[in-house]
Each structure stands twice: as structure tokens, then as C-alpha cells.
Amino acid sequence: RSESRMSDAIKQNEQIYDRLWARLPIPPHSEWPIWPELEKEIHGSARLLEMGAGVLPRIPIDGGFFVDLSQSALRKLDVHGGHGVRAAGPLPFCDEAFDVVCAFEVLEHIPDDETVLSELARVIRPGGALFFSVPVNPALWTGFDDACGHVRRYIASDLAQRLDSVGLVVERWTTQPNKFKKPIGDLTGSFLRALSHFPRLTIWLKQKALQTEMSRSFTWQTGDIDQSHEIGGLIAIARKVSRPSA
């Protein structure tokens, strides 16, 4: 059964992303607006892992570890000194192996996110940090989410509680735009599906979208995380805590 899930996941990934990652250049990690926060967590001997980054990693590639389904992405990261692992199940690393783990725009694509959350917590050392982003507010669901391969939009407070249950406590959060009015979202979703037949246009539009994303600045908050629902996109930092055994 697990092999069947792996096969289905690989097939979908190759159809959607492999062609894109093969042609898209890798931007410098320091140009991402999340970098100032990531840099605070990185010391000389820090071990870093990023899941599902494609060719858009937020962590430094050289010496970093990357889990992805895309062979095109992993080959490009390996050329730049990354350690790539192709996997779609339990993470192939020992407990408490990493100081920083990143999962940007990943969790919403995974049907069994419960297992993934447990695995993320398992491989982060106590005191280490998880950086992640997800779409939030189920009421904002449109055809755009379908076209992107989302299986859910989160209720932010529910996700924070689930993270807490595996020892990851959200310290601070910010937002990014991730919403459409229903008719616009449905139309955008149809447009994205049609783009699969026009790879050059897809690359050009993705590069334009990246320019917008990299020009953003973040205002970090510690209050009610469900306030992120208004904007539709949540970015958060969660800390691995040690708790006494029962």
C-alpha cells in the first residue's frame, strides 16, 4: 500500500513540476524575505533540511539536505553541493538530526499530514526550529486550490494545536496573500491547468510571481494566529520543546 502511494505521488509530481524545475534557475537563498529569520537559527555546525523546495530552497544549498520527489530539482541541488533524497514517506534521517527544518507550501499537498507532522518533529533537535507556510481559511477554497494540488486549507489555530501535540510550539507568525474571490479563483485554476501545454509561458509567469514574492517584507506577530485567515496565507516558526515523560 505504501509503495502504491509513493508511485501515485511520484507520478503527480513529475507531471506538474519536473519540467518547471528543469528550466527554472535557482535564486540565491539570501534574496528570500524569510532569510533574516532563518539566518538567526543558523550557526557554524547547524544541520539544515528542506522538504519539497524544488529549485526554490530558502536554506543555503551547499551542505543542506533536501527531500523532494522531483529528480530534476534534486539533480540541480546536488550540483550546487546539496544532499538530495527522493522520498515520499517517513523521513530517512535519524531522530533529532537537524537544527532547522523548512516546509514551505508543502503540508497542504499531503493527504496524510499527521504522519508528516510527527516526522518533522522527530528529526528536529530540542531547541531547533520548523519554518513553514500553508494556505489557511477553508472558506477561501476555489478552483485555484484544486489546480495547485491542495488537499486542504488549514484552520491556523487547529494546525498550531496539532504541532503543539508533537512538541512544536509556534513562536511567531506572519502572512502572505493567498486568496481569490470565488469566480476569480476558479478562472485562475482553469488558466493554470491550461498552462501545462505552454511551458515557456509557465516559466515566465513563475519568474514574475517569484519577483513579487521576493519583494515582500514581513511583520511578525505572536497574537491570535487565526487572524491570518483574512489574508489567506500563513508563514510561521515553531520551536521544538522538550517535555517531561509521562
Side-chain angles (χ1 to χ4, degrees), residues 156-221:
S157 56
D158 286 354
L159 179 57
Q161 290 174 6
R162 293 173 62 197
L163 287 166
D164 185 82
S165 72
V166 295
L168 293 166
V169 178
V170 174
E171 286 189 339
R172 56 195 185 278
W173 58 272
T174 187
T175 60
Q176 61 182 358
N178 191 325
K179 67 175 183 178
F180 294 96
K181 292 183 178 179
K182 178 68 173 170
I184 301 300
D186 292 343
L187 183 62
T188 302
S190 298
F191 177 69
L192 290 176
R193 290 189 183 92
L195 274 180
S196 62
H197 303 292
F198 304 95
R200 291 183 180 179
L201 178 58
T202 301
I203 297 293
W204 183 80
L205 289 172
K206 184 63 176 178
Q207 289 176 322
K208 291 296 183 183
L210 286 173
Q211 290 175 9
T212 299
E213 189 171 352
M214 289 185 166
S215 68
R216 292 186 181 126
S217 59
F218 297 141
T219 300
W220 293 90
Q221 306 181 53

Short mmCIF file of all heavy atoms in Angstrom, two decimals, residues 156-221:
data_model
loop_
_atom_site.label_atom_id
_atom_site.label_comp_id
_atom_site.label_asym_id
_atom_site.label_seq_id
_atom_site.Cartn_x
_atom_site.Cartn_y
_atom_site.Cartn_z
N ALA A 156 -5.83 27.84 11.06
CA ALA A 156 -4.49 28.09 11.61
C ALA A 156 -4.36 27.63 13.06
O ALA A 156 -3.36 27.01 13.43
CB ALA A 156 -4.15 29.56 11.48
N SER A 157 -5.35 27.92 13.87
CA SER A 157 -5.26 27.53 15.29
C SER A 157 -5.29 26.02 15.46
O SER A 157 -4.63 25.48 16.36
CB SER A 157 -6.40 28.18 16.09
OG SER A 157 -7.66 27.84 15.54
N ASP A 158 -6.03 25.31 14.61
CA ASP A 158 -6.04 23.85 14.67
C ASP A 158 -4.66 23.29 14.33
O ASP A 158 -4.18 22.36 14.99
CB ASP A 158 -7.08 23.29 13.71
CG ASP A 158 -8.51 23.48 14.19
OD1 ASP A 158 -8.70 23.95 15.33
OD2 ASP A 158 -9.42 23.16 13.41
N LEU A 159 -4.05 23.84 13.29
CA LEU A 159 -2.70 23.39 12.93
C LEU A 159 -1.71 23.67 14.05
O LEU A 159 -0.86 22.82 14.36
CB LEU A 159 -2.25 24.07 11.64
CG LEU A 159 -0.84 23.71 11.14
CD1 LEU A 159 -0.69 22.22 10.95
CD2 LEU A 159 -0.53 24.46 9.84
N ALA A 160 -1.81 24.83 14.68
CA ALA A 160 -0.92 25.15 15.80
C ALA A 160 -1.09 24.15 16.94
O ALA A 160 -0.11 23.74 17.56
CB ALA A 160 -1.19 26.57 16.28
N GLN A 161 -2.33 23.76 17.21
CA GLN A 161 -2.58 22.76 18.26
C GLN A 161 -2.01 21.40 17.90
O GLN A 161 -1.44 20.70 18.74
CB GLN A 161 -4.08 22.66 18.52
CG GLN A 161 -4.67 23.87 19.20
CD GLN A 161 -6.19 23.79 19.31
OE1 GLN A 161 -6.81 22.78 18.97
NE2 GLN A 161 -6.80 24.87 19.78
N ARG A 162 -2.12 21.03 16.64
CA ARG A 162 -1.57 19.74 16.21
C ARG A 162 -0.04 19.75 16.28
O ARG A 162 0.57 18.75 16.65
CB ARG A 162 -2.04 19.44 14.79
CG ARG A 162 -3.54 19.18 14.69
CD ARG A 162 -3.99 19.06 13.27
NE ARG A 162 -3.35 17.92 12.61
CZ ARG A 162 -3.30 17.76 11.29
NH1 ARG A 162 -3.83 18.68 10.49
NH2 ARG A 162 -2.72 16.70 10.78
N LEU A 163 0.56 20.86 15.92
CA LEU A 163 2.01 20.98 16.07
C LEU A 163 2.41 20.89 17.53
O LEU A 163 3.38 20.21 17.88
CB LEU A 163 2.48 22.30 15.46
CG LEU A 163 2.47 22.39 13.94
CD1 LEU A 163 2.63 23.82 13.48
CD2 LEU A 163 3.58 21.52 13.33
N ASP A 164 1.67 21.56 18.38
CA ASP A 164 1.96 21.53 19.82
C ASP A 164 1.90 20.10 20.36
O ASP A 164 2.70 19.71 21.22
CB ASP A 164 0.96 22.42 20.56
CG ASP A 164 1.29 22.53 22.04
OD1 ASP A 164 2.16 23.34 22.40
OD2 ASP A 164 0.68 21.78 22.84
N SER A 165 0.98 19.29 19.83
CA SER A 165 0.83 17.92 20.32
C SER A 165 2.04 17.04 19.99
O SER A 165 2.23 16.00 20.63
CB SER A 165 -0.45 17.29 19.74
OG SER A 165 -0.29 17.00 18.36
N VAL A 166 2.84 17.45 19.00
CA VAL A 166 4.06 16.69 18.69
C VAL A 166 5.31 17.43 19.16
O VAL A 166 6.43 17.08 18.77
CB VAL A 166 4.15 16.36 17.18
CG1 VAL A 166 3.03 15.42 16.77
CG2 VAL A 166 4.15 17.62 16.31
N GLY A 167 5.13 18.46 19.98
CA GLY A 167 6.27 19.14 20.59
C GLY A 167 6.81 20.33 19.84
O GLY A 167 7.92 20.78 20.10
N LEU A 168 6.02 20.87 18.90
CA LEU A 168 6.44 22.04 18.13
C LEU A 168 5.52 23.21 18.46
O LEU A 168 4.33 23.18 18.13
CB LEU A 168 6.39 21.75 16.63
CG LEU A 168 7.41 20.72 16.12
CD1 LEU A 168 7.05 20.26 14.71
CD2 LEU A 168 8.82 21.30 16.14
N VAL A 169 6.05 24.21 19.12
CA VAL A 169 5.26 25.33 19.61
C VAL A 169 5.48 26.55 18.71
O VAL A 169 6.62 27.01 18.55
CB VAL A 169 5.62 25.68 21.07
CG1 VAL A 169 4.83 26.88 21.55
CG2 VAL A 169 5.37 24.47 21.97
N VAL A 170 4.40 27.05 18.12
CA VAL A 170 4.51 28.23 17.25
C VAL A 170 4.94 29.43 18.08
O VAL A 170 4.28 29.81 19.05
CB VAL A 170 3.18 28.51 16.53
CG1 VAL A 170 3.27 29.82 15.75
CG2 VAL A 170 2.83 27.36 15.59
N GLU A 171 6.06 30.03 17.70
CA GLU A 171 6.59 31.21 18.40
C GLU A 171 6.10 32.51 17.80
O GLU A 171 5.76 33.45 18.53
CB GLU A 171 8.12 31.19 18.36
CG GLU A 171 8.76 30.19 19.27
CD GLU A 171 10.26 30.39 19.35
OE1 GLU A 171 10.85 31.02 18.42
OE2 GLU A 171 10.86 29.90 20.31
N ARG A 172 6.10 32.59 16.50
CA ARG A 172 5.68 33.82 15.83
C ARG A 172 5.22 33.46 14.42
O ARG A 172 5.59 32.41 13.87
CB ARG A 172 6.79 34.86 15.81
CG ARG A 172 8.09 34.44 15.19
CD ARG A 172 9.20 35.42 15.55
NE ARG A 172 10.47 35.14 14.89
CZ ARG A 172 11.36 34.24 15.31
NH1 ARG A 172 11.08 33.49 16.37
NH2 ARG A 172 12.50 34.08 14.67
N TRP A 173 4.45 34.37 13.86
CA TRP A 173 3.87 34.10 12.55
C TRP A 173 3.67 35.40 11.78
O TRP A 173 3.67 36.48 12.35
CB TRP A 173 2.54 33.35 12.68
CG TRP A 173 1.50 34.08 13.50
CD1 TRP A 173 1.33 34.01 14.86
CD2 TRP A 173 0.53 35.01 13.02
NE1 TRP A 173 0.31 34.83 15.25
CE2 TRP A 173 -0.21 35.45 14.14
CE3 TRP A 173 0.20 35.50 11.76
CZ2 TRP A 173 -1.24 36.38 14.03
CZ3 TRP A 173 -0.83 36.41 11.64
CH2 TRP A 173 -1.54 36.84 12.78
N THR A 174 3.52 35.25 10.48
CA THR A 174 3.21 36.38 9.63
C THR A 174 2.33 35.87 8.49
O THR A 174 1.93 34.70 8.49
CB THR A 174 4.50 37.05 9.10
OG1 THR A 174 4.17 38.25 8.40
CG2 THR A 174 5.28 36.12 8.19
N THR A 175 2.01 36.73 7.55
CA THR A 175 1.07 36.35 6.50
C THR A 175 1.63 36.66 5.11
O THR A 175 2.56 37.46 4.96
CB THR A 175 -0.27 37.08 6.65
OG1 THR A 175 -0.05 38.50 6.57
CG2 THR A 175 -0.94 36.74 7.97
N GLN A 176 1.04 36.00 4.13
CA GLN A 176 1.29 36.33 2.73
C GLN A 176 -0.03 36.16 1.98
O GLN A 176 -0.85 35.32 2.35
CB GLN A 176 2.36 35.44 2.13
CG GLN A 176 2.03 33.95 2.13
CD GLN A 176 3.16 33.12 1.56
OE1 GLN A 176 4.19 33.65 1.13
NE2 GLN A 176 3.00 31.81 1.56
N PRO A 177 -0.27 36.95 0.95
CA PRO A 177 -1.54 36.85 0.22
C PRO A 177 -1.72 35.47 -0.40
O PRO A 177 -0.82 34.95 -1.08
CB PRO A 177 -1.42 37.93 -0.86
CG PRO A 177 -0.38 38.87 -0.35
CD PRO A 177 0.59 38.04 0.43
N ASN A 178 -2.85 34.86 -0.16
CA ASN A 178 -3.16 33.56 -0.74
C ASN A 178 -4.68 33.40 -0.76
O ASN A 178 -5.25 32.59 -0.03
CB ASN A 178 -2.51 32.43 0.04
CG ASN A 178 -2.58 31.09 -0.68
OD1 ASN A 178 -3.55 30.80 -1.37
ND2 ASN A 178 -1.56 30.27 -0.52
N LYS A 179 -5.34 34.22 -1.57
CA LYS A 179 -6.79 34.13 -1.64
C LYS A 179 -7.28 34.77 -2.93
O LYS A 179 -6.64 35.65 -3.50
CB LYS A 179 -7.44 34.81 -0.44
CG LYS A 179 -7.28 36.32 -0.40
CD LYS A 179 -8.07 36.92 0.77
CE LYS A 179 -7.97 38.44 0.78
NZ LYS A 179 -8.77 39.03 1.86
N PHE A 180 -8.41 34.28 -3.40
CA PHE A 180 -9.12 34.85 -4.53
C PHE A 180 -10.61 34.87 -4.21
O PHE A 180 -11.10 34.01 -3.46
CB PHE A 180 -8.93 34.01 -5.79
CG PHE A 180 -7.53 33.98 -6.33
CD1 PHE A 180 -6.67 32.94 -6.00
CD2 PHE A 180 -7.08 34.97 -7.18
CE1 PHE A 180 -5.39 32.89 -6.51
CE2 PHE A 180 -5.80 34.93 -7.70
CZ PHE A 180 -4.95 33.89 -7.36
N LYS A 181 -11.32 35.81 -4.78
CA LYS A 181 -12.77 35.69 -4.78
C LYS A 181 -13.13 34.47 -5.62
O LYS A 181 -12.43 34.11 -6.56
CB LYS A 181 -13.42 36.95 -5.34
CG LYS A 181 -13.25 38.16 -4.43
CD LYS A 181 -13.98 39.39 -4.99
CE LYS A 181 -13.83 40.57 -4.04
NZ LYS A 181 -14.52 41.78 -4.57
N LYS A 182 -14.23 33.81 -5.27
CA LYS A 182 -14.58 32.54 -5.86
C LYS A 182 -14.52 32.53 -7.40
O LYS A 182 -13.85 31.66 -7.98
CB LYS A 182 -15.97 32.12 -5.37
CG LYS A 182 -16.50 30.83 -5.95
CD LYS A 182 -15.73 29.61 -5.48
CE LYS A 182 -16.41 28.33 -5.96
NZ LYS A 182 -15.59 27.14 -5.72
N PRO A 183 -15.17 33.45 -8.11
CA PRO A 183 -15.11 33.39 -9.58
C PRO A 183 -13.70 33.56 -10.12
O PRO A 183 -13.30 32.89 -11.08
CB PRO A 183 -16.03 34.53 -10.02
CG PRO A 183 -16.90 34.82 -8.84
CD PRO A 183 -16.05 34.54 -7.64
N ILE A 184 -12.94 34.46 -9.50
CA ILE A 184 -11.56 34.71 -9.97
C ILE A 184 -10.68 33.49 -9.69
O ILE A 184 -9.86 33.10 -10.52
CB ILE A 184 -10.98 35.96 -9.31
CG1 ILE A 184 -11.84 37.18 -9.63
CG2 ILE A 184 -9.54 36.19 -9.76
CD1 ILE A 184 -11.96 37.49 -11.11
N GLY A 185 -10.85 32.90 -8.51
CA GLY A 185 -10.06 31.71 -8.17
C GLY A 185 -10.35 30.55 -9.09
O GLY A 185 -9.43 29.82 -9.51
N ASP A 186 -11.62 30.35 -9.44
CA ASP A 186 -11.98 29.27 -10.35
C ASP A 186 -11.40 29.52 -11.74
O ASP A 186 -10.88 28.61 -12.39
CB ASP A 186 -13.49 29.13 -10.43
CG ASP A 186 -14.11 28.62 -9.13
OD1 ASP A 186 -13.36 28.08 -8.29
OD2 ASP A 186 -15.34 28.76 -8.96
N LEU A 187 -11.47 30.78 -12.19
CA LEU A 187 -10.93 31.13 -13.50
C LEU A 187 -9.40 30.96 -13.52
O LEU A 187 -8.83 30.44 -14.48
CB LEU A 187 -11.30 32.56 -13.85
CG LEU A 187 -10.87 33.07 -15.24
CD1 LEU A 187 -11.53 32.23 -16.33
CD2 LEU A 187 -11.23 34.54 -15.40
N THR A 188 -8.76 31.36 -12.43
CA THR A 188 -7.31 31.22 -12.33
C THR A 188 -6.91 29.75 -12.35
O THR A 188 -5.91 29.37 -12.98
CB THR A 188 -6.79 31.89 -11.04
OG1 THR A 188 -7.16 33.27 -11.05
CG2 THR A 188 -5.28 31.77 -10.93
N GLY A 189 -7.69 28.92 -11.67
CA GLY A 189 -7.42 27.49 -11.67
C GLY A 189 -7.48 26.90 -13.07
O GLY A 189 -6.61 26.11 -13.47
N SER A 190 -8.50 27.28 -13.83
CA SER A 190 -8.62 26.80 -15.22
C SER A 190 -7.44 27.27 -16.06
O SER A 190 -6.90 26.53 -16.89
CB SER A 190 -9.93 27.30 -15.82
OG SER A 190 -11.05 26.79 -15.12
N PHE A 191 -7.01 28.51 -15.83
CA PHE A 191 -5.87 29.06 -16.57
C PHE A 191 -4.59 28.28 -16.25
O PHE A 191 -3.80 27.95 -17.15
CB PHE A 191 -5.70 30.53 -16.21
CG PHE A 191 -4.51 31.19 -16.84
CD1 PHE A 191 -4.47 31.43 -18.20
CD2 PHE A 191 -3.43 31.57 -16.06
CE1 PHE A 191 -3.36 32.03 -18.78
CE2 PHE A 191 -2.32 32.17 -16.62
CZ PHE A 191 -2.29 32.41 -18.00
N LEU A 192 -4.39 27.94 -14.97
CA LEU A 192 -3.20 27.19 -14.57
C LEU A 192 -3.16 25.81 -15.21
O LEU A 192 -2.11 25.32 -15.61
CB LEU A 192 -3.13 27.08 -13.05
CG LEU A 192 -2.83 28.37 -12.28
CD1 LEU A 192 -2.90 28.12 -10.79
CD2 LEU A 192 -1.47 28.92 -12.67
N ARG A 193 -4.33 25.17 -15.30
CA ARG A 193 -4.36 23.86 -15.94
C ARG A 193 -3.99 23.97 -17.42
O ARG A 193 -3.27 23.13 -17.96
CB ARG A 193 -5.75 23.24 -15.79
CG ARG A 193 -6.09 22.81 -14.37
CD ARG A 193 -7.39 22.02 -14.34
NE ARG A 193 -7.76 21.65 -13.00
CZ ARG A 193 -8.55 22.37 -12.22
NH1 ARG A 193 -9.07 23.51 -12.68
NH2 ARG A 193 -8.84 21.99 -10.99
N ALA A 194 -4.48 25.01 -18.07
CA ALA A 194 -4.19 25.20 -19.49
C ALA A 194 -2.71 25.49 -19.72
O ALA A 194 -2.15 25.16 -20.78
CB ALA A 194 -5.04 26.34 -20.06
N LEU A 195 -2.04 26.09 -18.73
CA LEU A 195 -0.63 26.46 -18.87
C LEU A 195 0.28 25.26 -19.07
O LEU A 195 1.39 25.40 -19.58
CB LEU A 195 -0.17 27.23 -17.64
CG LEU A 195 -0.40 28.74 -17.61
CD1 LEU A 195 0.14 29.31 -16.32
CD2 LEU A 195 0.24 29.42 -18.80
N SER A 196 -0.18 24.07 -18.64
CA SER A 196 0.67 22.88 -18.76
C SER A 196 1.06 22.61 -20.22
O SER A 196 2.06 21.94 -20.49
CB SER A 196 -0.04 21.66 -18.18
OG SER A 196 -1.23 21.38 -18.91
N HIS A 197 0.31 23.17 -21.17
CA HIS A 197 0.61 22.99 -22.59
C HIS A 197 1.53 24.07 -23.13
O HIS A 197 1.90 24.03 -24.31
CB HIS A 197 -0.69 22.97 -23.39
CG HIS A 197 -1.67 21.93 -22.95
ND1 HIS A 197 -1.45 20.58 -23.10
CD2 HIS A 197 -2.87 22.04 -22.31
CE1 HIS A 197 -2.47 19.90 -22.61
NE2 HIS A 197 -3.34 20.76 -22.12
N PHE A 198 1.91 25.03 -22.27
CA PHE A 198 2.73 26.16 -22.71
C PHE A 198 3.88 26.37 -21.71
O PHE A 198 3.86 27.29 -20.91
CB PHE A 198 1.89 27.43 -22.83
CG PHE A 198 0.70 27.28 -23.74
CD1 PHE A 198 -0.55 26.96 -23.22
CD2 PHE A 198 0.83 27.46 -25.11
CE1 PHE A 198 -1.64 26.82 -24.06
CE2 PHE A 198 -0.26 27.32 -25.95
CZ PHE A 198 -1.50 26.99 -25.43
N PRO A 199 4.91 25.50 -21.76
CA PRO A 199 5.97 25.54 -20.75
C PRO A 199 6.73 26.85 -20.69
O PRO A 199 7.09 27.30 -19.61
CB PRO A 199 6.89 24.37 -21.16
CG PRO A 199 6.53 24.06 -22.57
CD PRO A 199 5.09 24.41 -22.73
N ARG A 200 6.97 27.50 -21.83
CA ARG A 200 7.72 28.76 -21.80
C ARG A 200 6.92 29.86 -21.09
O ARG A 200 7.47 30.64 -20.32
CB ARG A 200 8.08 29.20 -23.22
CG ARG A 200 9.11 28.31 -23.89
CD ARG A 200 9.49 28.84 -25.26
NE ARG A 200 10.48 27.98 -25.90
CZ ARG A 200 10.98 28.19 -27.12
NH1 ARG A 200 10.58 29.26 -27.81
NH2 ARG A 200 11.86 27.37 -27.62
N LEU A 201 5.63 29.90 -21.36
CA LEU A 201 4.79 30.87 -20.68
C LEU A 201 4.72 30.57 -19.19
O LEU A 201 4.72 31.49 -18.36
CB LEU A 201 3.38 30.86 -21.29
CG LEU A 201 2.35 31.81 -20.66
CD1 LEU A 201 2.83 33.26 -20.73
CD2 LEU A 201 0.99 31.66 -21.36
N THR A 202 4.68 29.29 -18.84
CA THR A 202 4.67 28.89 -17.43
C THR A 202 5.91 29.40 -16.71
O THR A 202 5.83 29.94 -15.61
CB THR A 202 4.58 27.36 -17.30
OG1 THR A 202 3.39 26.90 -17.96
CG2 THR A 202 4.55 26.94 -15.85
N ILE A 203 7.07 29.22 -17.34
CA ILE A 203 8.33 29.67 -16.74
C ILE A 203 8.31 31.19 -16.56
O ILE A 203 8.69 31.71 -15.50
CB ILE A 203 9.53 29.27 -17.63
CG1 ILE A 203 9.63 27.75 -17.75
CG2 ILE A 203 10.82 29.86 -17.07
CD1 ILE A 203 9.98 27.06 -16.48
N TRP A 204 7.87 31.91 -17.56
CA TRP A 204 7.85 33.37 -17.50
C TRP A 204 6.93 33.85 -16.38
O TRP A 204 7.31 34.75 -15.59
CB TRP A 204 7.38 33.93 -18.83
CG TRP A 204 7.39 35.44 -18.89
CD1 TRP A 204 8.47 36.24 -19.12
CD2 TRP A 204 6.27 36.31 -18.71
NE1 TRP A 204 8.10 37.57 -19.09
CE2 TRP A 204 6.75 37.65 -18.84
CE3 TRP A 204 4.92 36.10 -18.44
CZ2 TRP A 204 5.91 38.75 -18.71
CZ3 TRP A 204 4.08 37.20 -18.32
CH2 TRP A 204 4.58 38.50 -18.45
N LEU A 205 5.76 33.26 -16.26
CA LEU A 205 4.83 33.66 -15.22
C LEU A 205 5.35 33.30 -13.83
O LEU A 205 5.17 34.07 -12.87
CB LEU A 205 3.46 33.01 -15.45
CG LEU A 205 2.66 33.54 -16.65
CD1 LEU A 205 1.44 32.69 -16.88
CD2 LEU A 205 2.28 35.00 -16.43
N LYS A 206 5.99 32.15 -13.72
CA LYS A 206 6.56 31.76 -12.43
C LYS A 206 7.66 32.73 -12.01
O LYS A 206 7.74 33.11 -10.84
CB LYS A 206 7.12 30.34 -12.51
CG LYS A 206 7.66 29.80 -11.19
CD LYS A 206 6.56 29.68 -10.15
CE LYS A 206 7.06 29.05 -8.87
NZ LYS A 206 6.00 28.96 -7.83
N GLN A 207 8.47 33.16 -12.94
CA GLN A 207 9.53 34.11 -12.61
C GLN A 207 8.95 35.46 -12.17
O GLN A 207 9.47 36.09 -11.25
CB GLN A 207 10.46 34.28 -13.81
CG GLN A 207 11.33 33.06 -14.07
CD GLN A 207 12.17 33.19 -15.31
OE1 GLN A 207 11.73 33.74 -16.32
NE2 GLN A 207 13.39 32.68 -15.27
N LYS A 208 7.87 35.88 -12.82
CA LYS A 208 7.21 37.12 -12.41
C LYS A 208 6.64 36.98 -11.00
O LYS A 208 6.73 37.90 -10.17
CB LYS A 208 6.10 37.47 -13.39
CG LYS A 208 6.58 37.90 -14.77
CD LYS A 208 7.37 39.20 -14.68
CE LYS A 208 7.81 39.68 -16.05
NZ LYS A 208 8.64 40.92 -15.95
N ALA A 209 6.04 35.82 -10.71
CA ALA A 209 5.48 35.59 -9.39
C ALA A 209 6.58 35.58 -8.32
O ALA A 209 6.40 36.09 -7.21
CB ALA A 209 4.71 34.27 -9.36
N LEU A 210 7.75 35.03 -8.66
CA LEU A 210 8.86 34.99 -7.72
C LEU A 210 9.38 36.40 -7.43
O LEU A 210 9.75 36.71 -6.28
CB LEU A 210 9.99 34.13 -8.28
CG LEU A 210 9.75 32.62 -8.26
CD1 LEU A 210 10.87 31.89 -8.98
CD2 LEU A 210 9.64 32.12 -6.82
N GLN A 211 9.41 37.24 -8.43
CA GLN A 211 9.84 38.62 -8.21
C GLN A 211 8.93 39.31 -7.20
O GLN A 211 9.40 40.03 -6.30
CB GLN A 211 9.84 39.39 -9.53
CG GLN A 211 10.93 38.97 -10.50
CD GLN A 211 10.80 39.67 -11.84
OE1 GLN A 211 9.99 40.59 -12.02
NE2 GLN A 211 11.59 39.24 -12.81
N THR A 212 7.64 39.08 -7.32
CA THR A 212 6.69 39.66 -6.37
C THR A 212 6.91 39.09 -4.98
O THR A 212 6.93 39.82 -3.98
CB THR A 212 5.24 39.37 -6.83
OG1 THR A 212 5.03 39.98 -8.10
CG2 THR A 212 4.24 39.92 -5.82
N GLU A 213 7.08 37.76 -4.91
CA GLU A 213 7.25 37.11 -3.60
C GLU A 213 8.52 37.58 -2.90
O GLU A 213 8.53 37.80 -1.69
CB GLU A 213 7.28 35.60 -3.80
CG GLU A 213 7.23 34.81 -2.51
CD GLU A 213 7.04 33.33 -2.73
OE1 GLU A 213 6.80 32.91 -3.89
OE2 GLU A 213 7.14 32.58 -1.74
N MET A 214 9.57 37.77 -3.65
CA MET A 214 10.84 38.17 -3.04
C MET A 214 10.87 39.64 -2.66
O MET A 214 11.75 40.06 -1.90
CB MET A 214 12.00 37.83 -3.99
CG MET A 214 12.25 36.35 -4.10
SD MET A 214 13.70 35.98 -5.09
CE MET A 214 13.95 34.25 -4.67
N SER A 215 9.95 40.41 -3.15
CA SER A 215 9.91 41.84 -2.81
C SER A 215 9.11 42.11 -1.54
O SER A 215 9.07 43.24 -1.07
CB SER A 215 9.30 42.63 -3.97
OG SER A 215 7.92 42.33 -4.12
N ARG A 216 8.50 41.07 -0.97
CA ARG A 216 7.67 41.28 0.22
C ARG A 216 8.52 41.51 1.46
O ARG A 216 9.68 41.11 1.54
CB ARG A 216 6.78 40.05 0.45
CG ARG A 216 5.71 39.86 -0.61
CD ARG A 216 4.78 38.73 -0.22
NE ARG A 216 3.77 38.54 -1.26
CZ ARG A 216 3.51 37.41 -1.87
NH1 ARG A 216 4.19 36.32 -1.53
NH2 ARG A 216 2.58 37.32 -2.79
N SER A 217 7.92 42.15 2.43
CA SER A 217 8.51 42.27 3.76
C SER A 217 7.50 41.75 4.76
O SER A 217 6.28 41.86 4.55
CB SER A 217 8.89 43.72 4.07
OG SER A 217 7.76 44.56 4.01
N PHE A 218 7.98 41.17 5.84
CA PHE A 218 7.11 40.52 6.80
C PHE A 218 7.05 41.30 8.11
O PHE A 218 8.05 41.85 8.58
CB PHE A 218 7.59 39.10 7.10
CG PHE A 218 7.56 38.18 5.92
CD1 PHE A 218 8.58 37.26 5.72
CD2 PHE A 218 6.52 38.23 5.01
CE1 PHE A 218 8.55 36.40 4.63
CE2 PHE A 218 6.48 37.38 3.92
CZ PHE A 218 7.50 36.46 3.73
N THR A 219 5.86 41.32 8.70
CA THR A 219 5.66 41.85 10.05
C THR A 219 5.27 40.67 10.93
O THR A 219 4.18 40.09 10.78
CB THR A 219 4.55 42.92 10.08
OG1 THR A 219 4.91 44.00 9.22
CG2 THR A 219 4.35 43.44 11.50
N TRP A 220 6.14 40.30 11.85
CA TRP A 220 5.92 39.10 12.65
C TRP A 220 5.02 39.40 13.85
O TRP A 220 5.11 40.47 14.45
CB TRP A 220 7.25 38.52 13.10
CG TRP A 220 8.03 37.99 11.94
CD1 TRP A 220 8.92 38.68 11.17
CD2 TRP A 220 7.92 36.70 11.37
NE1 TRP A 220 9.40 37.88 10.16
CE2 TRP A 220 8.80 36.65 10.26
CE3 TRP A 220 7.18 35.55 11.69
CZ2 TRP A 220 8.95 35.51 9.48
CZ3 TRP A 220 7.35 34.42 10.91
CH2 TRP A 220 8.21 34.40 9.83
N GLN A 221 4.18 38.44 14.19
CA GLN A 221 3.21 38.59 15.26
C GLN A 221 3.25 37.39 16.20
O GLN A 221 3.74 36.31 15.83
CB GLN A 221 1.80 38.73 14.68
CG GLN A 221 1.65 39.84 13.65
CD GLN A 221 0.23 39.93 13.13
OE1 GLN A 221 -0.73 40.05 13.90
NE2 GLN A 221 0.09 39.89 11.81
#
